[in-house]
Amino acid sequence: MFLVVALAMIAILFEPVRQFVTEEPVEEGWFLSVAYTTMNPDRPGLGVTDYPGNLVADIPKGYAMVLMAELERDRHGIAPDLSNLAKASGDWLLANASLDPSGRVGWGVPVAWDAYGDDSVNPSNTVYSISTGIVAGALLDWMESDPDAPAEEILTVVEAALDGFAQEAVRTPSGLVPYSLVATDGAYDTFNSAAYIAGEMQRFAKYASTPEAGERLRDAADDTVRSLIDHRHLSPAGAWYWQYSVQEDVTNDLAHAA
């Protein structure tokens, strides 16, 4: 199911949807054929950004999703005759782990962005916790499933990226891992991005280069989960849900809340 969903998302991302609208039955392998005929094999994360202007650019989250989907395809032996895009995706992510103008290690989006509409525009490629969490997870998947993956480089880069967000000094007012490491963004408590990267911090802690680094990652994850529990809401049916942030009275949509 993950593979189908991921490839469907890739297909939609990299080509106008109108080209695929048809009343004819869809043949088996359609998603794969669309993905492999529309993506650049050397830059499989190159696509249209889902931000104002819709520029075509290299999108770290795109590379990460291709990497994860390709690892799943290989694991299940699907269409083995197709060239695998995992290495091209992973290599790009490792080679472009320091695009942030400040030199921080991590990943963001290739556009300037005012995340909270407060007139504090972050420059293109600012490191964000959600992008960093998604990419870190993809790189760890690669390392754990492919004996030929550059494990040492992955561990070094991912640890540096996660450690920047694990520092206690950058916690949000409610104790979450922040949306970004830009000071103006640190005033907001955003649940979905914090939850995602906290999971990868917990996962990576066993690989940390020192006991202190591992403990720092676990503490950041624990603080984030504690804040999530403290700020949960209950639906009339008794289900848990969250607002987009502590400061915003907007209920998370499923894509962000999941």
Side-chain angles (χ1 to χ4, degrees):
M1 177 60 73
F2 172 82
L3 178 65
V4 172
V5 172
L7 288 174
M9 292 172 66
I10 291 167
I12 291 171
L13 176 64
F14 290 100
E15 193 75 3
V17 177
R18 62 178 175 79
Q19 294 190 19
F20 307 127
V21 175
T22 177
E23 295 180 358
E24 298 299 318
V26 177
E27 63 182 69
E28 185 177 354
W30 177 80
F31 289 131
L32 283 174
S33 66
V34 168
Y36 281 85
T37 56
T38 58
M39 287 193 292
N40 181 328
D42 298 318
R43 296 166 66 188
L46 178 69
V48 179
T49 62
D50 55 343
Y51 290 85
N54 300 122
L55 302 175
V56 173
D58 291 297
I59 307 165
K61 286 182 289 187
Y63 281 93
M65 291 301 292
V66 173
L67 174 54
M68 288 188 283
E70 286 289 76
L71 293 172
E72 281 292 287
R73 183 171 70 85
D74 183 67
R75 185 168 72 90
H76 292 286
I78 298 171
D81 54 314
L82 293 174
S83 60
N84 196 295
L85 303 177
K87 186 177 187 306
S89 299
D91 286 347
W92 188 95
L93 290 168
L94 291 172
N96 292 275
S98 300
L99 298 180
D100 184 297
S102 72
R104 295 186 178 102
V105 178
W107 299 269
V109 294
V111 295
W113 181 239
D114 180 2
Y116 296 97
D118 59 4
D119 296 323
S120 60
V121 179
N122 298 331
S124 177
N125 294 310
T126 293
V127 167
Y128 292 115
S129 56
I130 186 61
S131 296
T132 298
I134 291 172
V135 171
L139 289 174
L140 291 178
D141 286 352
W142 187 26
M143 181 189 75
E144 292 172 349
S145 63
D146 182 358
D148 294 325
E152 185 175 343
E153 184 179 5
I154 289 172
L155 289 173
T156 299
V157 171
V158 170
E159 180 165 32
L162 294 179
D163 192 64
F165 285 96
Q167 302 298 319
E168 188 172 2
V170 303
R171 297 280 205 286
T172 69
S174 77
L176 292 171
V177 173
Y179 182 86
S180 82
L181 298 176
V182 177
T184 50
D185 290 343
Y188 299 91
D189 302 87
T190 305
F191 299 115
N192 63 78
S193 54
Y196 200 113
I197 196 171
E200 297 304 331
M201 287 176 169
Q202 188 110 47
R203 175 186 181 184
F204 188 85
K206 67 180 180 182
Y207 296 119
S209 59
T210 66
E212 293 77 17
E215 190 65 24
R216 193 159 51 245
L217 291 167
R218 293 188 186 93
D219 286 347
D222 288 349
D223 286 350
T224 292
V225 173
R226 191 173 296 112
S227 179
L228 285 165
I229 293 173
D230 289 345
H231 291 88
R232 72 190 187 278
H233 295 272
L234 286 177
S235 74
W240 290 15
Y241 72 95
W242 286 264
Q243 306 292 72
Y244 187 77
S245 71
V246 172
Q247 292 76 19
E248 297 164 289
D249 188 22
V250 179
T251 302
N252 249 334
D253 57 88
L254 180 60
H256 285 91

